[in-house]
Amino acid sequence: MTDDEVTAFEREHGVSLPEDYRGFITTIGNGGPGRWGGAGPYYGLHPLHDWATSLWGMPEPNTLATPFPAEPGRVFSDWPSEVAPGDDDEPYCGTLALSDQGCGYLSILVVSGTARGRVTDNSDVPAGPGFTSDADFLSWYERWLDAVLAGATHFR
């Protein structure tokens, strides 16, 4: 993507994408051909325009700008009912879809909230989403590259 395209996306959604992710989609790649996207963990990386894939409902104008309520180390007693108790509430606000893991699970990037820049998943376990140990998107992606180069057939 061009810087202008990313800036337009950020302006439209009221967010500033994490710098490492922004740099990746403007210099390395933004998804890829086919249904699942480009080179990346699991079934490949989604293009930015598929950001809302992890949402439970339809995106609202402020969905990305609304802080994601989960953060590393926080344990919920009943995720997502604690953070999205109403029928129209969105538990995955402040996130964008990165990669399909299969069976309805996705890796997601937090773009708003205290965990901004971290990679987690769209977990349905009561304790809440499980964050990776990676500091940011680029660390997560590089860990996948290292795993592939080492011959790994499964990424976690």
Side-chain angles (χ1 to χ4, degrees), residues 1 3 18 35 37 39 67 87 105 139:
M1 294 182 76
D3 281 325
R35 178 176 179 204
D87 289 341
Y105 296 102
S139 298

Side-chain angles (χ1 to χ4, degrees), residues 112-132:
S112 298
T114 58
R116 182 180 182 276
R118 295 292 302 270
V119 176
T120 186
D121 56 43
N122 66 337
S123 174
D124 60 358
V125 298
F131 284 83
T132 69

